[in-house]
Amino acid sequence: MNFADVQTIKEIKLMNLFEKLLGRGTAKFLAENLINQLTDEQIKERQEMFKKLEDKEVYASYQERYEHLCIMEKEYEIYIDKQNPMYSALIFFQMANQYYYFTDNTELKADIENIRTMYNKRKFFSCNLFSKYDNTRYSVDLKVIDEEYIDPLQQLFDHLQLRDDTKFDDYRIYGSLYDMVSATDTRPYAEINAFYEKYRNQLLPYVEDVLKEIPELKFYLEMKRFYNALDERNIPYSLAEFTDEKSITVKGARDITLITSNVENIITNDFYFNTEKPFWFITGANGGGKTSFLRSVGLCVLLGSQGCYMPAKSGTIMRLEQLITFFPMESDLDRGRFNSEKERLAQMSEKATTDSLVLMNEVFTSTDEMTAMRESQVVLEQMLEKKCFGVFVTHNFPLIESMQDKMPVLEAITEGDEHNRLFKIVEKKQVGSSFATDILRKYELDFDSLKRKYGDAL
Amino acid sequence: MKSLLFLEDESKIAKVFEIDELKIKDVILGVSYMDTEAREYVYNVLCKPLKDLELIKRRQMLVKDFCENQIPFDKMYRAFKNFVQLRRDITEKRRRFGNLTREHGSELFNRKIDRVKNEINYFNGIYESMNEIEKLFTFNITSPDLQEFIDEIKTVNVYMRKFVNEIGKDLVDCPTEEFNPKVFVEIDHIYDISVSEICGMNKEDAAGFKAADSSAGDLVTIGIDRMYRKIYNINNYLTTTYIDVAKELQFYNFAIELYKGFTTFNIDCTFPEFGDGPISGRRMHDPLLAANLIRQSIDMQIEVIKITHNDVSDLSSCIITGENNTGRSTFQRSIVLTNLLAQCGLHVPGVQVHFPIYESYLFCFAGWEKEDSFGRFENEVIKITEAFKYAGKNSLVITKELFQSTSYDEATESLDTIFKALLIENCTFICVTDLLKLPERFKGYEQVKHIVLDKEHKISVAE
């Protein structure tokens, strides 16, 4: 069973945040690596690694290691692509050249250095810039060291009718030219062939072994990039402490996804769950940050449980089995939203366990108040019976009143005037208005504004 | 060339706001198989409902001619679509020639000749397609617009025929580079183009001239260039014109497919009557359901809900309630989407349908949290604010499940005020809601009906 699913990461908008800060491909990669159920050791290992990466030198060294690995992986892919056996020796050497950074094998290192020296004495130098055009062609970039080679190379290009916009200092030419160019200085080529024959059967398993590091290293480095982006915005974060007690307490949590909307001062909120208050209602002001609060809970618990930094000042969390979220989806509309929601909620209720955190946002709003109350009560009773933790965002006051003895209430309150509202989530005994009028007034659609406009006709 | 859609005058087009909520794209997809570009075009036309009764009637006559008077539309449509292919071909060929300059050396002259021949072939392609189209119109036409359109095609064909059949130097000598049908001249000899014919010399002179020196060559080249530019402009004019027509016909293709769909599935359909007063009609239903039914015949995966007909009378503003899955949205679409299609001049499902002509369609549907800093409630309020900007006499405001993200009481209170303000603005509103106390607020408002849907998707008017 996974800790969360990718849909959850989308719903708490972490995916969107990753996309904006790191790009789509990385977002997908990170999301897929943040949903697994980790052991205590794995969490500890991750936390230690993040701490280590705080050191700039360590970070730089891991980055360098990652870069070598990426180049090596590319060359490895070309090498194992048997469609171009002709260049196997050269690519094999380039791959070994990268492996140099990961091995203690002195003989191998000496052989590589020997060829490198020979290469450096060449009139022109074939760099490690093999790139894959398609399945059948490769490019070779030649850096010309000695200008006397420019004319002969140009003639060669003309003869082969290669494109005429090639610059003199950086020739990108097809692999088929490699033999012809190599023929001008055959010695290193022969050495590379010898190197290939010597190591071809033994080196590959080691290379494959080292390459396995890539996903893990990528995860840490990309997450570190993510946290660097938070640093730029002065957003604090912390590693979670774990407790054996059934409780979660987080202080100063922020909905960092708001940075994509260029919100400058993201409000912080504290939250806690324990056996006495496991499941909360949230209600209150429209636009008061209920959904943001819900997201900040999701973000902290997800990242904290995955051994990453939480966007919060501090936090102690229990080892959860699952993070489950329920947000209304636009696609629900196509199937009849009420039934679709009911179906999804039934699946969710079944999935939830005692050690789950369930976040539900505006459930059953597509039906009348009483039906919504009845259906919500069923779901909430199930959750309470399972004794899992959770938050339920609603404006259904009869529902809140009917269950207030079992579930405490958080309320989104606003401070300041209507044009400059500050939002805070606080624990409440009595629930009040949703402050819809404040927003309507801002757009002059409240009763008073419309009355002024239309007079007694209204 | 005459437009068949009558969209030139913006003052005669109704305003629409957030029309995507109406699922028009799904209707288009269901009714007719079209490529993405065509679907997009039809969608754009449907987003511009007409508000001028005369124009709507003229569209209806065109649709009627195409649908009911056996005009061989398919052939005509294919012939016009041929222009798109012709233009694609010539663009490719023109690209191959590029700019012919002196750097092309001794080949220059021959390449220029080839380029001209190329344009002439293109001209002939257009000419053949035009003749095909002309031959199709031997049927009874009732629409004056269609008649006028065909007459224009015939006129252009006459010019083109003249152009092909007569020898004239106008092509070379004409001072203006712009296309004007009056300067059409025949050019069939260009196929056997020679120096003498370009420059008006006899062949001997031309041969001597050509051999004499480079300046003679220059003169010849200038002649060819002028000829090329002339026919290039003509071709471009013709293609641009006819490609526009081809695009317009995409809409009528949709109209025909819609009509065919109705008749194939025995769905009553009609051109509604327009006039002041409330909406009325018998056997009305959601066109999207019919569209899905049509689509299902080629795609079994499509789920189709049973079509329920409803008779509507004396309906203007209304609040639609009912349990979940009783078809509230479907009923809302059966009024609004039908009205919009009708103002686009199309057949609509129903019998004896009477619609007012709305000058704006303003949709305010339940919002979803967007990637901005606003919450869901505020997003909905913003939509209503926008709608108010356009609201006025003959505006139709369509709302669905608004203000669900606030308390029921506050939502009821807010919508009560907003709808009453809309009534003062003489707007009509059609609202789907779960706020069961909202209809009570409009007791005593005769123009506002409370419509309740039952489990059979049938409507009744609550007292």
Side-chain angles (χ1 to χ4, degrees):
Chain A
M1 182 170 59
N2 280 341
F3 177 76
D5 50 36
V6 174
Q7 181 60 24
T8 291
I9 292 177
K10 283 182 186 165
E11 286 181 342
I12 59 173
K13 287 199 174 175
L14 183 59
M15 184 75 124
N16 183 265
L17 182 64
F18 282 152
E19 280 177 10
K20 291 269 165 70
L21 297 176
L22 310 169
R24 188 165 284 184
T26 306
K28 192 167 173 271
F29 170 80
L30 289 180
E32 282 164 0
N33 281 278
L34 282 171
I35 57 172
N36 301 321
Q37 189 66 257
L38 302 182
T39 61
D40 291 348
E41 290 71 37
Q42 284 171 322
I43 293 174
K44 207 172 167 191
E45 212 174 284
R46 273 196 181 173
Q47 290 192 333
E48 288 304 319
M49 183 67 171
F50 278 117
K51 278 183 201 162
K52 266 204 266 180
L53 288 174
E54 288 302 309
D55 185 326
K56 281 186 183 165
E57 277 181 24
V58 175
Y59 176 55
S61 73
Y62 274 109
Q63 208 155 17
E64 194 187 350
R65 187 179 176 85
Y66 178 65
E67 278 161 19
H68 283 302
L69 280 169
C70 286
I71 297 170
M72 193 160 82
E73 188 188 36
K74 203 171 165 190
E75 286 160 351
Y76 171 78
E77 278 173 10
I78 298 173
Y79 174 70
I80 59 167
D81 182 354
K82 298 295 181 195
Q83 288 189 40
N84 282 53
M86 193 176 161
Y87 309 111
S88 291
L90 185 70
I91 294 159
F92 186 83
F93 173 71
Q94 299 288 6
M95 190 172 70
N97 200 17
Q98 295 300 326
Y99 183 66
Y100 180 90
Y101 297 95
F102 303 95
T103 183
D104 297 325
N105 183 334
T106 45
E107 190 191 347
L108 174 68
K109 281 184 145 184
D111 284 345
I112 292 171
E113 276 166 17
N114 180 31
I115 296 176
R116 278 185 188 172
T117 317
M118 216 174 291
Y119 250 88
N120 288 339
K121 287 181 188 163
R122 295 185 75 189
K123 301 289 185 185
F124 56 87
F125 178 54
S126 175
C127 306
N128 53 354
L129 288 168
F130 285 74
S131 66
K132 207 169 173 181
Y133 276 134
D134 52 39
N135 287 333
T136 53
R137 292 185 304 172
Y138 300 98
S139 75
V140 181
D141 280 19
L142 295 176
K143 188 176 177 186
V144 180
I145 304 290
D146 195 331
E147 284 193 1
E148 72 180 66
Y149 272 84
I150 290 175
D151 280 345
L153 275 173
Q154 186 59 53
Q155 282 169 19
L156 205 57
F157 282 15
D158 291 345
H159 174 70
L160 293 171
Q161 293 186 328
L162 292 172
R163 67 169 202 247
D164 53 7
D165 59 346
T166 322
K167 289 176 190 163
F168 283 112
D169 59 348
D170 184 19
Y171 290 104
R172 173 163 289 214
I173 54 178
Y174 293 120
S176 58
L177 195 60
Y178 178 73
D179 279 350
M180 299 175 79
V181 175
S182 299
T184 58
D185 189 355
T186 53
R187 209 160 56 89
Y189 191 55
E191 288 290 330
I192 286 170
N193 270 336
F195 179 89
Y196 179 49
E197 290 306 322
K198 185 174 173 184
Y199 290 104
R200 61 186 295 188
N201 293 327
Q202 46 172 303
L203 195 62
L204 221 51
Y206 292 105
V207 170
E208 283 167 353
D209 209 36
V210 176
L211 287 178
K212 284 178 190 159
E213 279 182 33
I214 288 181
E216 202 181 346
L217 211 48
K218 184 178 176 184
F219 173 76
Y220 287 115
L221 292 172
E222 293 295 354
M223 282 306 285
K224 180 70 183 131
R225 260 178 73 206
F226 170 66
Y227 290 118
N228 288 346
L230 298 189
D231 285 336
E232 283 169 22
R233 292 161 176 86
N234 295 321
I235 295 171
Y237 44 81
S238 60
L239 287 171
E241 284 176 25
F242 288 91
T243 174
D244 292 335
E245 284 175 26
K246 190 171 162 66
S247 73
I248 297 173
T249 309
V250 175
K251 292 198 182 299
R254 280 180 167 87
D255 174 15
I256 46 172
T257 65
L258 290 174
I259 60 180
T260 59
S261 316
N262 298 321
V263 176
E264 282 180 10
N265 296 317
I266 301 172
I267 304 297
T268 59
N269 278 298
D270 303 341
F271 62 85
Y272 68 92
F273 302 89
N274 55 35
T275 44
E276 277 176 27
K277 292 180 177 177
F279 226 100
W280 296 77
F281 278 121
I282 302 188
T283 186
N286 291 110
K290 297 183 296 297
T291 309
S292 265
F293 175 78
L294 205 64
R295 276 200 297 263
S296 66
V297 174
L299 286 164
C300 286
V301 171
L302 176 81
L303 292 172
S305 301
Q306 291 289 311
C308 305
Y309 290 109
M310 310 180 290
K313 207 173 145 198
S314 65
T316 308
I317 57 177
M318 64 177 282
R319 291 280 285 114
L320 283 164
E321 271 181 6
Q322 289 179 98
L323 170 66
I324 302 170
T325 52
F326 182 94
F327 283 63
M329 296 199 301
E330 207 156 356
S331 59
D332 284 338
L333 282 177
D334 298 334
R335 294 187 287 151
R337 198 172 137 198
F338 177 74
N339 278 356
S340 169
E341 284 188 4
K342 218 171 147 179
E343 214 171 277
R344 282 171 57 209
L345 278 166
Q347 288 167 0
M348 197 188 76
S349 300
E350 202 172 307
K351 198 174 149 193
T353 58
T354 307
D355 293 334
S356 298
L357 174 70
V358 182
L359 306 175
M360 288 186 269
N361 193 20
E362 298 193 355
V363 175
F364 294 132
T365 53
S366 58
T367 187
D368 66 272
E369 194 171 26
M370 288 304 130
T371 311
M373 185 178 85
R374 274 199 311 276
E375 295 292 341
S376 302
Q377 276 171 340
V378 173
V379 176
L380 288 171
E381 290 291 356
Q382 283 173 343
M383 295 294 165
L384 291 172
E385 202 175 304
K386 288 191 173 182
K387 294 181 178 161
C388 55
F389 290 167
V391 180
F392 190 92
V393 177
T394 186
H395 287 284
N396 194 321
F397 293 144
L399 170 70
I400 296 173
E401 277 162 19
S402 72
M403 298 195 71
Q404 216 167 351
D405 53 333
K406 296 177 191 166
M407 284 173 61
V409 183
L410 289 170
E411 186 168 14
I413 58 155
T414 59
E415 292 164 2
D417 62 50
E418 70 205 50
H419 297 292
N420 195 14
R421 295 163 95 201
L422 289 172
F423 315 109
K424 200 78 189 164
I425 306 285
V426 294
E427 199 172 341
K428 276 272 168 184
K429 293 287 174 207
Q430 292 292 320
V431 289
S433 157
S434 299
F435 295 90
T437 314
D438 281 358
I439 293 177
L440 288 164
R441 189 179 300 125
K442 184 172 157 190
Y443 295 94
E444 297 181 346
L445 284 177
D446 63 306
F447 181 79
D448 291 340
S449 307
L450 291 172
K451 183 83 180 166
R452 269 197 301 279
K453 190 173 175 188
Y454 297 107
D456 289 338
L458 191 67
Chain B
M1 193 77 197
K2 182 181 175 54
S3 164
L4 293 176
L5 289 178
F6 326 121
L7 293 172
E8 296 85 358
D9 187 351
E10 290 225 353
S11 68
K12 292 181 177 174
I13 299 170
K15 282 193 171 56
V16 294
F17 173 72
E18 298 270 342
I19 199 170
D20 277 351
E21 307 286 7
L22 212 47
K23 300 199 174 181
I24 290 180
K25 284 183 180 169
D26 291 341
V27 175
I28 299 169
L29 200 64
V31 168
S32 168
Y33 176 77
M34 285 187 265
D35 59 37
T36 318
E37 206 179 312
R39 278 207 303 270
E40 199 59 37
Y41 186 84
V42 173
Y43 172 75
N44 285 332
V45 177
L46 293 179
C47 288
K48 292 176 179 170
L50 300 166
K51 62 178 182 184
D52 182 282
L53 182 59
E54 191 210 323
L55 292 185
I56 297 172
K57 292 271 179 205
R58 280 165 65 185
R59 275 240 195 119
Q60 285 181 344
M61 286 181 87
L62 275 159
V63 172
K64 193 166 185 241
D65 269 348
F66 288 138
C67 292
E68 297 171 28
N69 289 348
Q70 295 178 310
I71 305 284
F73 181 84
D74 281 356
K75 287 181 183 170
M76 176 181 165
Y77 186 43
R78 266 203 303 278
F80 272 105
K81 271 170 80 175
N82 191 33
F83 290 112
V84 181
Q85 187 57 42
L86 285 172
R87 185 165 72 169
R88 211 169 280 153
D89 292 348
I90 191 71
T91 309
E92 183 58 36
K93 283 179 184 163
R94 281 173 183 168
R95 197 175 293 136
R96 243 179 272 155
F97 281 105
N99 286 328
L100 294 180
T101 58
R102 278 180 180 279
E103 284 162 28
H104 290 83
S106 56
E107 289 292 308
L108 183 64
F109 181 79
N110 288 336
R111 292 191 72 173
K112 286 198 171 190
I113 296 288
D114 285 345
R115 192 171 65 168
V116 174
K117 283 183 181 174
N118 206 24
E119 288 297 322
I120 291 161
N121 282 336
Y122 181 42
F123 178 88
N124 273 349
I126 299 171
Y127 177 57
E128 279 165 23
S129 279
M130 292 299 292
N131 276 331
E132 283 300 312
I133 293 164
E134 190 182 338
K135 279 180 215 157
L136 297 173
F137 289 100
T138 51
F139 295 88
N140 177 32
I141 294 166
T142 58
S143 161
D145 289 299
L146 188 57
Q147 190 59 58
E148 201 183 316
F149 172 77
I150 294 152
D151 289 345
E152 275 190 29
I153 288 178
K154 282 179 182 166
T155 311
V156 174
N157 279 1
V158 169
Y159 280 126
M160 289 180 85
R161 215 160 284 142
K162 260 181 81 185
F163 191 67
V164 173
N165 293 331
E166 287 176 17
I167 297 175
K169 291 177 185 171
D170 299 23
L171 185 70
V172 182
D173 298 336
C174 181
T176 171
E177 296 296 328
E178 287 170 20
F179 167 67
N180 175 353
K182 287 180 185 166
V183 302
F184 271 134
V185 289
E186 54 147 343
I187 50 164
D188 58 342
H189 279 70
I190 296 173
Y191 272 119
D192 305 317
I193 196 153
S194 69
V195 178
S196 60
E197 281 157 333
I198 297 161
C199 299
M201 297 177 181
N202 63 45
K203 286 191 181 177
E204 289 75 32
D205 282 353
F209 208 59
K210 198 177 162 191
D213 58 22
S214 60
S215 64
D218 283 350
L219 197 62
V220 172
T221 310
I222 289 166
I224 298 168
D225 280 348
R226 289 181 68 186
M227 178 178 290
Y228 170 73
R229 277 200 300 277
K230 181 64 61 188
I231 193 150
Y232 176 94
N233 286 340
I234 293 169
N235 281 344
N236 272 3
Y237 176 85
L238 289 171
T239 332
T240 311
T241 306
Y242 294 132
I243 281 179
D244 284 347
V245 177
K247 280 183 186 166
E248 291 191 346
L249 291 180
Q250 291 171 158
F251 171 78
Y252 288 100
N253 184 41
F254 169 77
I256 292 167
E257 294 297 328
L258 182 68
Y259 177 73
K260 270 192 210 163
F262 288 145
T263 49
T264 308
F265 292 96
N266 293 323
I267 296 168
D268 293 318
C269 68
T270 181
F271 285 127
E273 285 297 318
F274 289 98
D276 292 335
I279 297 165
S280 63
R282 291 194 298 110
R283 297 183 62 73
M284 291 176 73
H285 65 81
D286 179 4
L288 180 62
L289 299 186
N292 285 343
L293 199 64
I294 299 166
R295 195 170 162 200
Q296 195 196 39
S297 59
I298 51 166
D299 183 356
M300 294 297 282
Q301 302 284 321
I302 302 296
E303 279 180 42
V304 179
I305 306 166
K306 185 181 158 238
I307 294 178
T308 309
H309 302 99
N310 272 302
D311 296 345
V312 173
S313 65
D314 195 25
L315 184 82
S316 50
S317 288
C318 62
I319 298 170
I320 305 165
T321 64
E323 287 178 25
N324 293 98
N325 297 323
T326 48
R328 292 168 302 175
S329 308
T330 304
F331 176 69
Q332 190 185 45
R333 262 198 311 270
S334 72
I335 303 295
V336 180
L337 181 53
T338 307
N339 207 141
L340 182 121
L341 294 180
Q343 281 189 223
C344 289
L346 298 168
H347 287 94
V348 294
V351 180
Q352 292 173 349
V353 182
H354 178 278
F355 281 135
I357 295 179
Y358 292 113
E359 294 187 3
S360 53
Y361 289 84
L362 312 168
F363 292 86
C364 303
F365 279 26
W368 298 89
E369 204 166 347
K370 301 275 162 58
E371 283 177 22
D372 51 30
S373 56
F374 299 122
R376 186 175 151 190
F377 180 79
E378 191 158 356
N379 274 326
E380 290 171 6
V381 175
I382 291 169
K383 278 189 197 175
I384 296 178
T385 315
E386 285 296 312
F388 258 93
K389 278 187 197 163
Y390 300 112
K393 195 170 179 267
N394 297 329
S395 292
L396 180 62
V397 179
I398 309 104
T399 73
K400 187 178 151 192
E401 297 181 346
L402 277 185
F403 296 174
Q404 289 173 333
S405 58
T406 189
S407 71
Y408 284 78
D409 286 346
E410 277 183 308
T412 306
E413 201 67 48
S414 309
L415 284 180
D416 173 32
T417 316
I418 288 167
F419 286 144
K420 282 174 182 166
L422 287 172
L423 290 176
I424 297 169
E425 294 276 6
N426 282 322
C427 294
T428 305
F429 67 84
I430 296 182
C431 152
V432 168
T433 187
D434 289 306
L435 303 168
L436 300 181
K437 290 176 186 164
L438 187 63
E440 289 171 21
R441 304 292 188 102
F442 288 87
K443 275 186 178 165
Y445 284 75
E446 278 182 14
Q447 72 272 45
V448 183
K449 282 202 163 63
H450 176 200
I451 289 182
V452 183
L453 270 291
D454 64 18
K455 284 186 177 162
E456 300 298 315
H457 309 313
K458 283 284 185 188
I459 61 162
S460 60
V461 179
E463 288 302 316

